[in-house]
Amino acid sequence: QEQLAESGGGLVQAGGSLRLSCAASGRIFSNYVMGWFRQVPGKEREFVAAIDSTGDNTYYADAARDRFTISRDNVKNAAYLHLNSLTPEDTAVYYCAAGSRLKWFWRVAVTTPSQGYDYWGQGTQVTVSS
């Protein structure tokens, strides 16, 4: 019954902002690394940002750094991704993920969707126009 559910996606004009939310249910994810990934049809799912279990450490893809901010609220069992200065190239389905097996210092695994992330949401569509 445990799951992740994203929300907050939608249509936004270039230069605009969105806040994506990831609500976890069924279990507590406070001990897990959380990540955000995105995917365009026909392309591989790509890393966007990750945050460690305490929220003290974050890591961003080059395309996300300085524009996106990942955060988490372990009391609410939720994670967030603030998207700023959006461009059409940011258009994608954004997925929240949690890794019960991940260690933060395993940087390759933390940034790779197939390595260690065992919980995924269904995704939320972000479309950036103009």
Side-chain angles (χ1 to χ4, degrees), residues 30-91:
S30 59
N31 292 328
Y32 300 164
V33 171
M34 301 290 294
W36 285 93
F37 296 79
R38 66 186 184 185
Q39 187 168 24
V40 176
K43 295 185 178 180
E44 296 291 321
R45 190 167 299 185
E46 67 176 4
F47 170 76
V48 177
I51 188 166
D52 72 351
S53 60
T54 65
D56 292 332
N57 297 289
T58 59
Y59 187 75
Y60 296 92
D62 289 342
R65 191 172 296 111
D66 299 325
R67 297 191 301 125
F68 300 172
T69 302
I70 187 172
S71 62
R72 68 190 300 160
D73 186 338
N74 285 339
V75 174
K76 292 184 174 296
N77 210 22
Y80 309 93
L81 185 69
H82 286 79
L83 311 174
N84 299 307
S85 302
L86 286 163
T87 74
E89 287 68 42
D90 296 315
T91 295

Side-chain angles (χ1 to χ4, degrees), residues 88-107:
E89 287 68 42
D90 296 315
T91 295
V93 177
Y94 284 71
Y95 297 90
C96 176
S100 64
R101 312 161 188 163
L102 288 172
K103 302 297 184 183
W104 181 249
F105 56 85
W106 293 345
R107 180 56 53 83

Side-chain angles (χ1 to χ4, degrees), residues 19-33:
R19 183 186 67 184
L20 308 183
S21 298
C22 175
S25 62
R27 68 174 61 199
I28 302 299
F29 288 84
S30 59
N31 292 328
Y32 300 164
V33 171

